[in-house]
Amino acid sequence: MKGRCTISALWAALSMLALSFGWCSCTTEDYETGDGKLSYLRADFVEVHTHAAKTLDYALSDDGDSLVFEPMASAEWATTPDSIYRALLMYNRKSDDRRVTDIISVSQVLTLWMAPASRVKTMHTDPVDVESAWLSRSGKYVNMGIYIKTGVTEGVDARQTVAMVCDTVMNGADDTREYHLRLYHDQNGVPQYYSSRIFLSVPIGMLRRGDAVIIEANTYKGVVTRRFTMGE
């Protein structure tokens, strides 16, 4: 049986994000081995908590690790105090100590709640490049790494928009559900001079074991589809 996607108004309000891009890099002059600083480098997808606006005090990784920042970290994009944000945390960790004292970077991961198609006036599916898509170990998110072509035209301040749109929910005979999603992308006239990678997370913690999420994205090589089943 086919049904419409009924997601709360709050989810829909948070689902569409306008993007502006800048360059961010981390470099090292020499490769270090053994007990060098980079030998303990980790990159984890996490939920970070803001102690105050733009100040992070702890995180919970997708592997279930609770991490305390000593000293606290700063993030210009985390503007709401006492809130949870999705992020990619790069840090050095030399032991099982839950304290993180050496943070390399904390980058925002866009959280795209499933917006019902009924709330989207015009569905834009401008192409992107899909690098990867996977189900987090915690089972709370489907994560995606995508490349969006971008650039700057003098005198023009245009921004692209991405969202995750739920077209339908299919009810199975075994009382499971399939959520059919499409990646919304509006290039909005932004020049396509170079590719910029962004990470997305789709919250799915409310789904039940056996439910499935099917994500469709339009790419420069055609439409690609990824399927994820909860509990597998």
Side-chain angles (χ1 to χ4, degrees), residues 181-193:
L181 312 180
R182 280 193 295 165
L183 182 67
Y184 176 108
H185 175 224
D186 183 2
Q187 187 75 28
N188 194 31
V190 174
Q192 301 181 46
Y193 296 152

Side-chain angles (χ1 to χ4, degrees), residues 139-151:
K140 295 174 64 175
Y141 298 95
V142 170
N143 301 312
M144 297 181 69
I146 67 173
Y147 284 91
I148 292 179
K149 293 188 182 298
T150 187

Side-chain angles (χ1 to χ4, degrees), residues 103-114:
I103 295 175
I104 307 301
S105 67
V106 185
S107 305
Q108 184 178 18
V109 173
L110 301 182
T111 303
L112 301 183
W113 296 87
M114 294 184 283

Side-chain angles (χ1 to χ4, degrees), residues 59-97:
L60 180 65
S61 76
D62 283 1
D63 289 337
D65 291 334
S66 180
L67 306 169
V68 178
F69 300 153
E70 295 183 358
M72 294 185 189
S74 61
E76 290 296 316
W77 43 265
T79 56
T80 304
D82 193 20
S83 299
I84 298 295
Y85 286 85
R86 190 76 170 140
L88 174 61
L89 173 66
M90 296 186 67
Y91 64 105
N92 285 302
R93 190 175 185 184
K94 295 186 178 182
S95 68
D96 291 332
D97 193 332

Side-chain angles (χ1 to χ4, degrees), residues 19-200:
L19 304 176
S20 60
F21 296 93
W23 290 103
C24 178
S25 64
C26 177
T27 62
T28 179
E29 295 299 327
D30 300 296
Y31 175 73
E32 300 184 49
T33 59
D35 284 338
K37 182 178 180 181
L38 295 184
S39 64
Y40 301 102
L41 182 64
R42 290 192 53 158
D44 289 336
F45 281 78
V46 299
E47 294 175 332
V48 293
H49 177 262
T50 53
H51 173 77
K54 304 179 183 181
T55 304
L56 313 176
D57 54 357
Y58 68 84
L60 180 65
S61 76
D62 283 1
D63 289 337
D65 291 334
S66 180
L67 306 169
V68 178
F69 300 153
E70 295 183 358
M72 294 185 189
S74 61
E76 290 296 316
W77 43 265
T79 56
T80 304
D82 193 20
S83 299
I84 298 295
Y85 286 85
R86 190 76 170 140
L88 174 61
L89 173 66
M90 296 186 67
Y91 64 105
N92 285 302
R93 190 175 185 184
K94 295 186 178 182
S95 68
D96 291 332
D97 193 332
R98 62 195 296 262
R99 293 174 300 168
V100 177
T101 60
D102 191 1
I103 295 175
I104 307 301
S105 67
V106 185
S107 305
Q108 184 178 18
V109 173
L110 301 182
T111 303
L112 301 183
W113 296 87
M114 294 184 283
S118 61
R119 292 183 176 271
V120 180
K121 293 182 179 180
T122 303
M123 182 67 194
H124 293 274
T125 56
D126 294 329
V128 301
D129 285 320
V130 177
E131 178 187 37
S132 56
W134 70 98
L135 182 64
S136 69
R137 184 172 296 183
S138 64
K140 295 174 64 175
Y141 298 95
V142 170
N143 301 312
M144 297 181 69
I146 67 173
Y147 284 91
I148 292 179
K149 293 188 182 298
T150 187
V152 177
T153 300
E154 187 175 352
V156 177
D157 185 23
R159 293 192 175 189
Q160 302 182 54
T161 303
V162 295
M164 193 61 68
V165 176
C166 181
D167 286 329
T168 57
V169 178
M170 306 291 292
N171 297 315
D174 56 355
D175 199 34
T176 60
R177 295 181 177 181
E178 285 187 354
Y179 292 78
H180 291 256
L181 312 180
R182 280 193 295 165
L183 182 67
Y184 176 108
H185 175 224
D186 183 2
Q187 187 75 28
N188 194 31
V190 174
Q192 301 181 46
Y193 296 152
Y194 57 87
S195 294
S196 180
R197 183 172 67 172
I198 60 174
F199 289 106
L200 317 172

